[in-house]
Amino acid sequence: MSVGTSSAPGAERTARPPAPRPGDLADLGIDPDQLPDGLVVADEHGRVVCFNAAAVRITAVPAERALGRSLETALPLEDLEGRRWWQLTDPYGGLAIRVGQPERNLLLPGGREVLVSARYVRTRPTGPVRRVVVTLRDTEARRRTERSHAELIATVAHELRSPLTSVKGFTATLLAKWERFTDDQKRLMLETVDADADRVTRLIAELLDISRIDSGRLEVRRQPVDIGAAVGRHIQAHVAAGQPADRFLLRVQHPLPALWADPDKIDQVLSNLLENAVRHGEGTVTIDITPSASPREREHAEPAATSVTVSDEGPGIPEESMNRVFTRFWRGSKRGGTGLGLYIVKGIVEAHGGAITVGRAPGGGAEFRFTLPVAAPAYLT
């Protein structure tokens, strides 16, 4: 009987070609040039056999100049101490149990920094290296994050220095010369210390809010909120601080849907928006409170959200700055502030499932509008 025509069990399965290994780019229909990160592959002899478009962009080395050359020549990397990276790691002659290199910062010729990781491909454990797969990533995004953190630290240090210097100066003076001051002078100094301590407390609260917003840990404790009464309290606070009562116009459209929100955080939003309108705007500050559709469910006919619009009659916000208003450190003017308030406002509104927008008011000034869904606490739903 011919072996070629054997019908023994399993013969047909043995004759089938092996299934393609998942993860091979060609088998997945992926062109290496479509990958977002740089990909460099060297064969068992250390010659570059793949140098994709992202690698060309990151290294500024043309693919035709890299292909076929040794990995060390095509990708001459150095560590931050100036040591040649491929000589240091020795992927082909190093330890046979090594499977690659974790991501780290390395330098290209000219000092450009890149993030590099490598994988050593072996056909069997502790066998010779058949492929070295290297991924490259630009460090620009990381540098932007580091610059943002550095700017935050510098801003906080600057904002803390002034009130702490005042607190230290007044307390040191009072302790050293207490008997020389009248009661009125002592009271004035202590009131200044108290105000500066409040300023430091507010700044620390802002930093904690930013940390919670960035990490997604901002907690919202929902309670029934009378948004009209809340706005009224803030208006009265500004009037008590010296603003004319006729500078504010509050308009409430009834009936409003029942609003469940975190009252302290809503107070924080209202405080920031009204303070900005008073400090940076001009003319009448108008606050409109209206029922509206939910920002995420606009197909509902019934009002499922409450909108609050704060507008002024000042110069407004330049069109080119509209998309930066809710970013960190944006300031509408040079008149003080950390530039963190509106970033926090946006985080608080979004933590409630709402949305906030900025535009130009009918009177020409700035107009901020935030919408809060009327969601109840989980234990009531």
Side-chain angles (χ1 to χ4, degrees):
M1 183 173 62
S2 171
V3 175
T5 59
S6 172
S7 58
E12 184 180 353
R13 290 192 297 273
T14 303
R16 290 178 181 174
R21 295 178 62 188
D24 293 342
L25 293 179
D27 295 331
L28 294 173
I30 298 176
D31 185 335
D33 287 342
Q34 297 173 345
L35 298 176
D37 293 337
L39 176 66
V40 180
V41 182
D43 64 13
E44 59 188 353
H45 304 295
R47 300 291 174 181
V48 174
V49 295
C50 175
F51 203 87
N52 74 344
V56 172
R57 173 179 54 80
I58 293 170
T59 64
V61 175
E64 57 272 15
R65 203 171 81 190
L67 293 172
R69 304 181 73 184
S70 70
L71 184 58
E72 183 177 355
T73 304
L75 199 61
L77 297 167
E78 295 182 351
D79 66 11
L80 301 183
E81 298 177 1
R83 297 174 295 183
R84 302 294 294 272
W85 181 242
W86 298 117
Q87 294 180 6
L88 186 67
T89 57
D90 192 13
Y92 292 93
L95 292 174
I97 59 172
R98 187 170 293 165
V99 295
Q101 295 291 334
E103 186 176 71
R104 65 191 67 204
N105 287 27
L106 297 176
L107 300 176
L108 290 166
R112 183 176 181 184
E113 195 170 335
V114 290
L115 294 171
V116 181
S117 59
R119 179 76 177 179
Y120 305 158
V121 181
R122 308 174 191 270
T123 54
R124 67 179 189 279
T126 72
V129 173
R130 299 300 182 185
R131 289 281 191 276
V132 174
V133 181
V134 182
T135 59
L136 307 173
R137 294 171 58 201
D138 201 335
T139 60
E140 182 57 34
R142 179 174 291 186
R143 284 199 297 269
R144 284 197 299 268
T145 301
E146 290 172 351
R147 284 196 298 269
S148 177
H149 290 165
E151 190 174 357
L152 177 61
I153 292 171
T155 299
V156 170
H158 175 76
E159 292 293 325
L160 285 173
R161 181 184 302 160
S162 176
L164 289 178
T165 300
S166 172
V167 168
K168 177 63 178 176
F170 280 119
T171 53
T173 301
L174 286 171
L175 288 172
K177 304 177 181 179
W178 179 266
E179 301 297 336
R180 299 185 185 182
F181 296 108
T182 66
D183 288 345
D184 289 342
Q185 289 174 325
K186 292 174 183 176
R187 176 177 292 277
L188 178 61
M189 290 184 184
L190 290 174
E191 287 175 347
T192 304
V193 168
D194 184 63
D196 285 333
D198 286 342
R199 182 176 166 189
V200 171
T201 301
R202 285 195 301 270
L203 180 58
I204 292 172
E206 284 185 345
L207 295 176
L208 291 173
D209 286 336
I210 287 176
S211 173
R212 295 183 184 115
I213 289 169
D214 289 347
S215 62
R217 294 185 293 107
L218 187 66
E219 294 184 3
V220 174
R221 295 182 174 89
R222 297 184 187 272
Q223 301 175 30
V225 173
D226 185 338
I227 193 70
V231 172
R233 288 195 300 273
H234 285 278
I235 292 175
Q236 290 302 316
H238 282 285
V239 172
Q243 291 293 325
D246 60 1
R247 188 176 180 189
F248 300 92
L249 174 60
L250 173 59
R251 299 185 296 206
V252 182
Q253 180 181 332
H254 291 289
L256 292 173
L259 175 62
W260 287 73
D262 189 315
D264 292 335
K265 289 181 172 54
I266 297 306
D267 273 342
Q268 195 173 348
V269 170
L270 294 173
S271 174
N272 193 289
L273 295 182
L274 264 68
E275 184 177 346
N276 281 348
V278 170
R279 180 186 298 178
H280 305 296
E282 297 172 2
T284 302
V285 176
T286 303
I287 305 98
D288 289 298
I289 305 175
T290 60
S292 69
S294 171
R296 299 184 181 180
E297 299 178 350
R298 298 204 177 272
E299 69 275 8
H300 286 266
E302 292 295 324
T306 299
S307 290
V308 179
T309 304
V310 179
S311 58
D312 61 71
E313 298 173 340
I317 299 170
E319 193 70 31
E320 62 272 14
S321 298
M322 290 287 188
N323 62 343
R324 295 188 291 111
V325 166
F326 297 109
T327 59
R328 291 183 185 180
F329 310 118
W330 183 86
R331 296 178 177 89
S333 72
K334 296 181 180 179
R335 288 178 284 179
T338 61
L340 301 173
L342 290 175
Y343 177 82
I344 294 172
V345 163
K346 182 174 184 288
I348 290 174
V349 170
E350 291 181 347
H352 280 80
I356 186 167
T357 59
V358 61
R360 187 167 293 279
E367 178 181 279
F368 289 89
R369 183 174 190 263
F370 68 91
T371 303
L372 299 174
V374 294
Y379 66 84
L380 292 179
T381 59

